[in-house]
Each structure stands twice: as C-alpha cells, then as structure tokens.
Amino acid sequence: RKEVEQDPGPFNVPEGATVAFNCTYSNSASQSFFWYRQDCRKEPKLLMSVYSSGNEDGRFTAQLNRASQYISLLIRDSKLSDSATYLCVVIGPAGNKLTFGGGTRVLVKP
Amino acid sequence: NAGVMQNPRHLVRRRGQEARLRCSPMKGHSHVYWYRQLPEEGLKFMVYLQKENIIDESGMPKERFSAEFPKEGPSILRIQQVVRGDSAAYFCASSPDRTKPDGYTFGSGTRLTVV
C-alpha cells in the first residue's frame, strides 16, 4: 500500500462549480499535512496546511480526518486558473521529509 | 531575496555520461531535500542533507547516485553512467528548520533527458 494515495483524476469541472477530492495516508502517526499545487512542468507550491480543526483560505477548504486517515480539499466557485495538479503531502513521525501523493488533476472548463 | 536556485534548468546527457545537478538553498536555510519526478508520476523523496551531513538517503538508488552538501557552495546531486530511466525532473527544496514544514521552498527543478 502506498504511503499517500490520491485519485489521479482528471476531475473535469465547469467554471463556477465546486469540486472536492480526498487523499488517504497509511501511517497513523503522521504529523503534518499539506496541499501543494503543481502546474505543468513547474515546481510544487504550497497551497495550504491542513489542521485538525479544518481550515479555509478563500475558496479553498481543507479537512483532516485522523480516525479514517484522510484529508480533503474543496474548491468553491472554480476558476479557470485553478486547473492544476493538486498534491497531497504528509510528514511522517520522523518529521524529516515530505511524502507526496501522486496528485489529482483538476481541469476547469468554461 | 532569491529563492531556491537550481541549475541547469535543462540537462541533456548521453547514456553512460555523468549528470551533476546543483541546488543553492534559500539564504539562511541549512536543510536541503532532493526529489525526483518521473513523467506522469508524483514526487519521490531521494535524500535529505544538512551542511556536510547526509541525514536520510532512504530514497536514493543504491548505485550510481550520490549527493553532497558541502560547507561552502551548493548541494550537488550526482548521477554516474546515466541510463534512459534517469530521465526525470529533479527538484530541490530547502527549509530553515526540519520541524517547520511550512518553510519548505522548492526550486524550479532540473529536467534531465538521457538520450
């Protein structure tokens, strides 16, 4: 079983719609969780950290479910510029490296 | 205030040659991480270094790959006798403190093509 798993998509989303997707992680002792965004052939960039209480940043909402070992990302009012690959990232108990999921591709269409 | 600098951006090598990838961390960052991204795949951890020390190399292939982060100068990822399967994007990240993951900043990557 992979340490961090994501549905690769693509999720085809009409502009203005809401899209949500999850990521599961295997190590229950994982410490920290993040969503990164990666545009085609570019470096990953931090989108947001994911906190136990859930957190929101504008149109983006992240949730953590430790009992079921998954995190989620919801994007409201999707924009064309939201088209990207969203990477779920986990820091394990050793705390010394980011472990990436394979990414979920989102395509927002007019 | 320059970010993480990687060079070259693109590197083409023939099979059997050596590839050297360089990463200069952000000013004040003493932790460097190397990741590899194969086409259509996610990023895979390779190695974590601090100045003059390899902390975790659990993701490094056993042969042909090595990494260093000398006291002076950039971190170097070295691939000897490259093969076609080494073709990938290699990203470097740096952080000031391993316990502050929000501080991970990635460079633009080096795209290695082996012909």
Side-chain angles (χ1 to χ4, degrees):
Chain A
R1 183 184 173 187
K2 290 183 181 178
E3 290 184 68
V4 182
E5 292 201 73
Q6 294 183 249
D7 180 342
F11 284 65
N12 293 299
V13 184
E15 191 176 8
T18 296
V19 60
F21 42 88
N22 293 340
C23 156
T24 58
Y25 60 95
S26 60
N27 191 332
S28 60
S30 296
Q31 294 183 7
S32 306
F33 309 88
F34 308 89
W35 284 105
Y36 275 68
R37 170 191 170 131
Q38 186 175 32
D39 293 286
C40 186
R41 301 181 69 78
K42 294 189 175 180
E43 75 272 24
K45 294 184 178 177
L46 178 65
L47 179 65
M48 60 196 302
S49 303
V50 186
Y51 303 120
S52 297
S53 55
N55 49 299
E56 189 175 305
D57 183 359
R59 298 180 294 106
F60 297 83
T61 301
Q63 297 278 354
L64 167 62
N65 186 318
R66 282 195 180 272
S68 300
Q69 293 180 212
Y70 74 85
I71 68 173
S72 64
L73 181 66
L74 182 145
I75 308 174
R76 283 185 302 277
D77 187 23
S78 299
K79 310 291 185 192
L80 297 176
S81 58
D82 294 334
S83 296
T85 297
Y86 291 84
L87 302 168
C88 172
V89 181
V90 174
I91 293 186
N96 64 345
K97 64 189 181 193
L98 305 177
T99 299
F100 286 80
T104 295
R105 192 167 170 217
V106 172
L107 297 172
V108 181
K109 301 188 173 180
Chain B
N1 187 16
V4 178
M5 303 300 293
Q6 287 189 250
N7 64 83
R9 289 291 298 273
H10 301 275
L11 181 62
V12 179
R13 284 288 177 264
R14 294 187 184 280
R15 279 178 295 172
Q17 289 185 319
E18 178 179 288
R20 279 182 179 245
L21 288 62
R22 288 176 291 278
C23 169
S24 296
M26 285 184 69
K27 188 175 181 180
H29 286 195
S30 58
H31 301 256
V32 167
Y33 309 80
W34 285 94
Y35 287 79
R36 176 166 66 174
Q37 187 173 32
L38 295 169
E40 306 303 321
E41 293 190 14
L43 280 81
K44 296 287 191 280
F45 169 78
M46 299 183 76
V47 62
Y48 160 42
L49 310 102
Q50 291 183 34
K51 284 284 187 181
E52 300 184 277
N53 288 304
I54 296 175
I55 307 301
D56 181 347
E57 56 181 349
S58 58
M60 288 281 270
K62 294 286 187 281
E63 298 177 345
R64 303 188 297 108
F65 284 71
S66 62
E68 62 176 6
F69 188 15
K71 188 176 180 181
E72 301 291 338
S75 175
I76 305 287
L77 180 67
R78 182 183 178 204
I79 312 172
Q80 295 178 289
Q81 298 174 337
V82 296
V83 300
R84 288 243 170 95
D86 297 332
S87 296
Y90 292 83
F91 291 100
C92 166
S94 73
S95 72
D97 183 329
R98 75 177 234 181
T99 62
K100 293 182 178 179
D102 285 6
Y104 283 57
T105 303
F106 281 85
S108 299
T110 293
R111 278 151 191 84
L112 172 65
T113 303
V114 179
V115 297

